[in-house]
Amino acid sequence: MEIGVIGAGAMGNGIAQIAAQSGHVVYVYDTKTNALERAASKLKAVLDRLVEKEKISNEEATATYNRVRYVDSLSPLKNVGLVIEAIIENLSAKQSVFKLLDDLVAPTTVLASNTSSLSIASIGAGIENPERVMGIHFFNPAPLMPLVEIVPSMSTDMKLVEEIRALINSWKKVTVLAKDTPGFIVNRVARPFYSEAIKMMEEGVADMATIDWAMREIGGFRMGPFELTDLIGHDVNYVVTETVWEQFYYDPRFRPSISQKRLVEGQLFGRKSGRGWFDYTEGAAKPTPVEDTELGQMIVDRIVAMLVNEAADALLLGIGTAEEIDLAMTKGVNYPKGPLTWANEIGLDVVLGRLNTLFEEYGDDRYRPCVLLKRTVAAGENF
């Protein structure tokens, strides 16, 4: 099967690399010639590094590179079996691309979006054969991150979903099936990791360096929320938060932060701009955390309780199974444990008690305990 990729940015190029390494001829389309040139150069450099590290042979690198065709016209994609769109996270832009593809490719060609949070049903609105539209959400960097969320809309042919899932599995990826709801599994469940950390910082519970230290050293996360959002880029992370919040009809659980909004407004996007929560300019002093174990444990307990609550809600609403929710969070964002398994270890009654305390103190619906958590505690069971 030949594959089409729309968008020659980092994500599109990463997806093309994965497919090409798996033996597919891949057509990467972009409207910008310089983007195509950069992508081709980047792919060559990545493959050369893999050869240097003895991960692949020189022959494999050459064959992979030759399978990727960078094109500035959609017409070469006419006969592909699967197209994955990986452009800007903007609904109208994605809809425009899908309508162009709908007029070009065969009725049996699968049209997929790499969106991280937008509605698959909306992206595929107006497509002549909506049963062939789905989400195939890779995580950045696509060649390194194992997880892929497969997201059917209400119209998608589930037999086709299983065929595509098997294909992506053959690319040595770990797939989970997610319902077409805002943020799917990972970007829904992960919101409190960022938002609750920012809220604690704003309230003066602890500074950013201390919260990051606590989540790494006590919580076991690879990165703290502030350093991680600086790495992701606030122009990306904030937009996902805002999108999920808006699509959930402004549910307080997903409310964005004014502090992060100000970073975006000031174009302080994080590492890529030289400054975000932290200053990355040459010679800038790195802030020192307060290594207080009691404070650090409180920070971890509060954020983990919020993650568990969101995972429980995703389970309640059938966004994924318990196993797939935990798998998504460990493979998609490198959590040390799946939040539902973690909750069972802590004790669901303990987690519920922490949420009830926060809800009573703040009177804010962001802390309302999930009904499934309450029911499971009442039944004396685990997730």
Side-chain angles (χ1 to χ4, degrees):
M1 179 193 294
E2 294 186 336
I3 308 292
V5 175
I6 309 297
M11 181 58 78
N13 212 33
I15 294 169
Q17 178 190 333
I18 296 164
Q21 284 188 283
S22 299
H24 300 273
V25 171
V26 186
Y27 295 93
V28 179
Y29 167 79
D30 203 292
T31 57
K32 299 174 182 176
T33 303
N34 59 348
L36 294 168
E37 291 171 351
R38 282 197 305 271
S41 177
K42 177 70 174 176
L43 177 61
K44 180 68 165 57
V46 167
L47 294 171
D48 285 347
R49 283 201 299 273
L50 290 175
V51 171
E52 288 173 11
K53 293 179 179 179
E54 299 183 349
K55 297 291 180 71
I56 61 175
S57 68
N58 192 58
E59 292 74 20
E60 287 173 312
T62 300
T64 296
Y65 185 79
N66 289 337
R67 290 189 196 105
V68 182
R69 321 285 165 79
Y70 293 95
V71 297
D72 60 4
S73 166
L74 282 174
S75 58
L77 280 68
K78 185 176 182 180
N79 297 314
V80 301
L82 166 66
V83 182
I84 303 175
E85 166 273 311
I87 65 169
I88 187 172
E89 196 75 346
N90 177 279
L91 180 58
S92 61
K94 291 179 185 292
Q95 288 173 329
S96 296
V97 166
F98 270 60
K99 286 174 182 174
L100 287 172
L101 291 169
D102 196 34
D103 294 334
L104 174 72
V105 300
T108 53
T109 299
V110 174
L111 301 180
S113 175
N114 185 63
T115 180
S116 60
S117 58
L118 295 174
S119 159
I120 302 302
S122 293
I123 291 170
I127 297 299
E128 189 171 343
N129 303 102
E131 66 275 5
R132 46 95 170 254
V133 175
M134 67 183 73
I136 303 179
H137 178 217
F138 291 79
F139 290 77
N140 199 25
L144 298 180
M145 297 301 289
L147 186 75
V148 178
E149 291 178 313
I150 308 294
V151 190
S153 77
M154 295 175 72
S155 302
T156 309
D157 181 346
M158 291 307 295
K159 183 175 182 295
L160 200 57
V161 168
E162 290 307 316
E163 290 174 4
I164 293 299
R165 187 174 187 180
L167 174 68
I168 303 300
N169 284 335
S170 76
W171 295 358
K172 299 179 181 177
K173 292 298 179 183
V174 176
T175 59
V176 294
L177 191 66
K179 189 180 283 188
D180 184 15
T181 57
F184 315 133
I185 295 174
V186 172
N187 277 311
R188 175 199 182 114
V189 175
R191 287 355 287 163
F193 184 74
Y194 316 113
S195 63
E196 198 59 24
I198 296 171
K199 192 170 191 298
M200 283 191 282
M201 178 273 292
E202 290 174 334
E203 293 178 353
V205 172
D207 60 32
M208 296 178 291
T210 299
I211 293 172
D212 278 356
W213 166 82
M215 296 307 290
R216 286 195 315 270
E217 301 304 321
I218 298 176
F221 292 84
R222 290 191 183 180
M223 298 183 75
F226 294 99
E227 57 187 346
L228 179 55
T229 49
D230 270 357
L231 179 63
I232 294 168
H234 297 285
D235 52 333
V236 175
N237 183 262
Y238 178 81
V239 167
V240 172
T241 299
E242 189 175 52
T243 300
V244 171
W245 176 58
E246 289 173 350
Q247 291 190 54
F248 273 114
Y249 304 106
Y250 306 101
D251 188 321
R253 288 180 303 149
F254 303 103
R255 187 188 302 122
S257 157
I258 292 293
S259 296
Q260 193 177 28
K261 187 171 191 287
R262 293 292 180 262
L263 289 180
V264 174
E265 291 170 341
Q267 298 185 1
L268 303 176
F269 298 139
R271 285 184 176 273
K272 61 186 171 186
S273 67
R275 185 179 164 195
W277 299 117
F278 301 116
D279 188 345
Y280 298 94
T281 57
E282 188 176 352
K286 188 175 181 180
T288 304
V290 177
E291 297 184 7
D292 181 323
T293 304
E294 185 176 350
L295 173 62
Q297 188 65 61
M298 182 276 291
I299 290 167
V300 172
D301 289 347
R302 182 163 160 176
I303 292 177
V304 169
M306 296 290 283
L307 291 171
V308 168
N309 202 41
E310 203 50 56
D313 201 59
L315 180 60
L316 172 68
L317 298 177
I319 311 308
T321 65
E323 293 76 15
E324 290 196 316
I325 289 169
D326 275 357
L327 183 64
M329 302 314 292
T330 54
K331 297 295 186 181
V333 278
N334 291 317
Y335 281 11
K337 300 176 185 178
L340 297 173
T341 297
W342 207 341
N344 292 336
E345 293 177 3
I346 295 168
L348 300 192
D349 56 334
V350 174
V351 175
L352 180 59
R354 289 169 183 164
L355 291 166
N356 280 331
T357 297
L358 289 165
F359 185 70
E360 182 179 348
E361 180 180 357
Y362 285 92
D364 188 337
D365 262 4
R366 72 187 281 123
Y367 299 114
R368 69 182 187 274
C370 171
V371 66
L372 180 61
L373 176 58
K374 294 193 286 187
R375 289 173 184 167
T376 309
V377 169
E381 299 174 349
N382 283 331
F383 290 132

